Amino acid sequence: MSDSPPRLFDRRLLASRRNRAANGFAQAHFLRERAIEDTLLTLSAINRQFDVALELGSGDGRFGRELANTPAAAKVGLLIESDLSPALSAQQSGAARLILDEESLPFGDDSLNLVISTLSLHTVNDLPGVLVQIRRALQPDGLFIGTLFGGETLKELRGCLMEAEIEVRGGYGPRIAPFAEGGDLIDLMKRTGFQMPVVDSDRVTVSYEHPLRLMADLRAMAESNILHDRPRKGLNRALLQRMTELYFERFADDEGRITATFEIITLSGWKAHESQQKPLRPGSAKTRLADALGVKEGRFGTANERE
């Protein structure tokens, strides 16, 4: 029996889709812009110097250009930009560029100070394995900051497509990938050896005049269906018409436009180092947290949400 993870995504198809989307990649950049903003916000709050940084899924190099216009640029020495797509890599303007697959990082242990991933890790087949590779490539006290789509992403389109296909064809095939939940990700960061993990959720609601306009944007972002077990039957006219009817019935606003939800999760964590603060042993605290905060004792969450 093989111990390898299940093959959820067709990575060759992903590379092809990213190559195809390269010419118009900047036209549907608004979610990537939001992810870059969240990443820069996290980076700007850290008073550290990072001599060698790697960005996974750099796309057309927008993060590097945005970074150069912020005070955080002084914290980063060499930024290595990388992408699965040769066509997108050709659009990057940084000093160091690589074409690589996030599932197989070509870096030795303790070789990087900072690893950043901007909306690419939600399409890897073995996210725990990739996080372990990132941690190994980081030097002790090195930092990882990643953004990826979370579980609320495209929930409206997913539901309407599913119901429409069941009505029209009598069954449903997976057309939108499952996305990770914030609570699961913070546990995953801990299990893969990261220290002081933080997970933040940013929900973005986008308005469209028509569901087909949303689907066109997904193609422009290279975010259309790359599931390995995707249905081989395409979306015919009858299915698209029923999906559109359901979408307008359930998710139209007062102006007759439909809404689509995207959840961008930002996660960060450090590679262990002896200088880092260590948690106290259970039961060794002198003061109860609830008493210190002046509140009743209850359950505290680990993932923050920002609307």
Side-chain angles (χ1 to χ4, degrees):
M1 181 180 294
S2 174
D3 292 330
S4 61
R7 189 181 175 197
L8 183 60
F9 299 106
D10 185 336
R11 299 282 295 176
R12 287 187 179 180
L13 180 59
L14 174 62
S16 174
R17 295 275 171 85
R18 289 180 76 81
N19 282 330
R20 185 182 67 183
N23 288 337
F25 199 69
Q27 297 174 9
H29 72 273
F30 59 95
L31 290 174
R32 185 169 174 78
E33 190 74 28
R34 187 73 166 247
I36 290 171
E37 177 186 326
D38 291 345
T39 302
L40 289 173
L41 187 66
T42 301
L43 188 59
S44 65
I46 298 168
N47 187 23
R48 285 286 307 277
Q49 197 72 26
F50 303 100
D51 295 336
V52 183
L54 167 70
E55 183 191 6
L56 297 171
S58 299
D60 59 358
R62 180 173 293 273
F63 173 80
R65 293 191 291 272
E66 295 282 345
L67 172 66
N69 295 320
T70 69
K75 302 178 182 182
V76 179
L78 174 66
L79 175 64
I80 304 169
E81 296 175 314
S82 69
D83 201 274
L84 185 64
S85 161
L88 281 172
S89 182
Q91 298 181 21
Q92 299 163 10
S93 55
R97 295 178 292 168
L98 289 175
I99 299 169
L100 61 78
D101 189 333
E102 296 95 332
E103 294 188 340
S104 183
L105 301 186
F107 299 94
D109 292 357
D110 305 334
S111 57
L112 304 167
N113 304 108
L114 172 68
V115 175
I116 290 168
S117 173
T118 49
L119 292 183
S120 67
L121 294 186
H122 56 277
T123 57
V124 298
N125 286 297
D126 181 14
L127 182 55
V130 171
L131 289 175
V132 168
Q133 289 186 65
I134 291 171
R135 178 181 55 77
R136 287 175 176 169
L138 285 169
Q139 294 181 5
D141 211 25
L143 175 65
F144 167 64
I145 306 172
T147 57
L148 66 166
F149 287 123
E152 293 292 299
T153 300
L154 296 175
K155 60 183 181 180
E156 302 92 348
L157 180 61
R158 185 194 308 274
C160 292
L161 266 177
M162 181 183 298
E163 186 167 335
E165 190 162 14
I166 290 172
E167 288 185 20
V168 172
R169 291 178 172 165
Y172 171 74
R175 297 188 181 276
I176 298 177
F179 299 106
E181 301 290 343
D184 296 332
L185 286 170
I186 202 161
D187 289 339
L188 181 58
M189 290 285 285
K190 292 176 181 177
R191 286 194 290 110
T192 51
F194 284 94
Q195 307 297 306
M196 298 175 285
V198 176
V199 173
D200 183 79
S201 174
D202 181 12
R203 285 180 177 81
V204 184
T205 302
V206 185
S207 173
Y208 286 94
E209 62 183 12
H210 197 280
L212 295 184
R213 183 60 247 172
L214 162 62
M215 296 174 76
D217 264 3
L218 293 176
R219 286 193 295 273
M221 298 174 198
E223 292 292 348
S224 51
N225 191 358
I226 59 161
L227 287 168
H228 184 260
D229 294 328
R230 63 193 177 279
R232 293 320 190 240
K233 276 189 175 181
L235 300 174
N236 62 21
R237 180 175 298 179
L239 201 162
L240 287 172
Q241 180 176 340
R242 183 56 183 148
M243 180 274 294
T244 297
E245 292 169 351
L246 290 169
Y247 213 129
F248 275 110
E249 287 172 11
R250 296 174 182 177
F251 302 109
D253 60 21
D254 294 339
E255 297 178 357
R257 297 172 63 89
I258 58 98
T259 57
T261 299
F262 295 89
E263 182 183 12
I264 299 174
I265 294 179
T266 302
L267 53 156
S268 62
W270 299 82
K271 185 168 180 175
H273 187 265
E274 61 183 11
S275 66
Q276 293 168 355
Q277 291 182 333
K278 303 296 190 297
L280 294 173
R281 297 190 315 275
S284 64
K286 299 289 192 295
T287 305
R288 293 168 64 247
L289 178 60
D291 293 339
L293 297 176
V295 298
K296 292 183 178 180
E297 189 167 8
R299 183 176 180 181
F300 292 83
T302 53
N304 299 315
E305 293 186 355
R306 179 158 60 87
E307 296 293 338

